[in-house]
Amino acid sequence: MAFIADNQLPLLLLFFFAGLAATAFLFRKPAGHQAWKLADLVWVLLGGFGALVAVISGIYASDSSRLERQIDIAYAATAAFDRDAARFRLRFCDPAYDADIAVLCEKVEFLSASTAGNAELPLFIAVTDEVAPLRGLSFLFGGGEEKDEMEEMEAKASAFDPEAFLVFTSLDAPAQAAVDNMRRKVPAIAGDYLIIARAYDDLIGHVATLKEEWEFLQDNAHILVLQIIALCLVSFAAPFRLGKSIVELRARR
């Protein structure tokens, strides 16, 4: 499978020229000959197979687009959490004038630290951009280094673990106690922290969904190889249909 994915263009050209060679041999036969009828049948069968695979690949492409949308959602959730956390620290943590506020400030710092792994999200974008059916064509513009880099990025993306975000919970016992106390003293501070906690929980959920979408695409990557095979077969059969048309046009003169 890796060989097929990495050598798409050479394989397409190889099958196309093989079809041309076979068509050139058929030009010895007159129009209406059984050989041309068989050639037309080959084109119909392989063309139909290619159309079916194109529909299946369209489903895969739709799933890939869904992954890209999930990446955007995860980025938006990250931005919302970082913005709320930064605002909270600026307003209440420099310095924290109350013991309960200090607990909440420390918790916000912990939550912010736990999202540092979100820097790996661009890996999903880069890899997804290369999941197009003809991504192997990139060797024309890059080379072995780009291929090695992409394989390394895929490995890192596959190793990405959303569970790392769960090191800290947004509302453990000390944080909940501090929130309850602040509700009696300064409700606005308790409300701001709850907004941060909710943003953090949303972020965790979106990143977990992102990982699930990625794994689903990885599990169905064989669809891309199937599409390449179908394209190769269609490339092989296309000269047959063209040759049949040329022979029939000549016979009408």
Side-chain angles (χ1 to χ4, degrees):
M1 290 179 59
F3 174 81
I4 295 175
D6 293 338
N7 297 277
Q8 297 170 43
L9 182 59
L11 287 173
L12 287 172
L13 293 177
L14 177 63
F15 275 82
F16 179 73
F17 286 121
L20 285 178
T23 303
F25 177 78
L26 290 179
F27 272 122
R28 300 177 182 178
K29 309 295 182 180
H33 192 274
Q34 186 72 14
W36 285 114
K37 294 180 180 179
L38 289 175
D40 199 33
L41 178 61
V42 169
W43 163 249
V44 171
L45 291 177
L46 295 185
F49 175 69
L52 177 61
V53 173
V55 173
I56 297 175
S57 300
I59 298 174
Y60 184 92
S62 176
D63 292 331
S64 179
S65 298
R66 188 169 62 183
L67 174 66
E68 293 177 352
R69 289 194 297 272
Q70 188 60 38
I71 290 172
D72 293 337
I73 293 173
Y75 268 127
T78 303
F81 170 78
D82 290 342
R83 181 177 59 253
D84 293 337
R87 185 188 302 117
F88 188 91
R89 290 195 297 267
L90 287 174
R91 293 179 64 186
F92 309 118
C93 302
D94 192 21
Y97 59 85
D98 182 275
D100 291 316
I101 295 178
V103 171
L104 296 180
C105 288
E106 183 179 6
K107 193 64 178 178
V108 170
E109 290 292 341
F110 284 160
L111 296 179
S112 297
S114 73
T115 62
N118 227 22
E120 296 180 7
L121 285 179
L123 288 173
F124 285 96
I125 294 179
V127 173
T128 303
D129 288 341
E130 297 298 327
V131 175
L134 292 179
R135 72 185 189 279
L137 296 178
S138 62
F139 77 91
L140 291 174
F141 308 98
E145 292 184 0
E146 282 194 3
K147 177 184 173 182
D148 293 341
E149 181 181 354
M150 185 54 58
E151 290 178 351
E152 181 181 352
M153 291 170 67
E154 286 195 33
K156 289 182 179 179
S158 297
F160 183 79
D161 185 9
E163 294 297 323
F165 287 82
L166 301 178
V167 175
F168 306 108
T169 58
S170 58
L171 279 173
D172 56 9
Q176 186 64 61
V179 168
D180 293 339
N181 292 335
M182 293 310 300
R183 278 174 173 166
R184 293 191 295 269
K185 293 185 286 189
V186 187
I189 296 179
D192 284 350
Y193 179 81
L194 290 176
I195 291 174
I196 293 175
R198 188 177 300 112
Y200 180 81
D201 293 339
D202 289 343
L203 173 59
I204 298 302
H206 291 314
V207 174
T209 301
L210 174 58
K211 178 65 174 181
E212 292 174 0
E213 296 285 354
W214 164 259
E215 290 179 343
F216 178 81
L217 286 182
Q218 289 296 92
D219 293 339
N220 292 276
H222 61 276
I223 294 176
L224 295 179
V225 176
L226 181 62
Q227 184 180 27
I228 297 167
I229 294 174
L231 288 173
C232 288
L233 295 177
V234 171
S235 297
F236 174 77
F240 291 153
R241 188 64 186 86
L242 177 61
K244 183 175 183 292
S245 299
I246 293 175
V247 169
E248 290 177 349
L249 287 174
R250 286 180 178 179
R252 293 176 183 176
R253 291 181 179 177

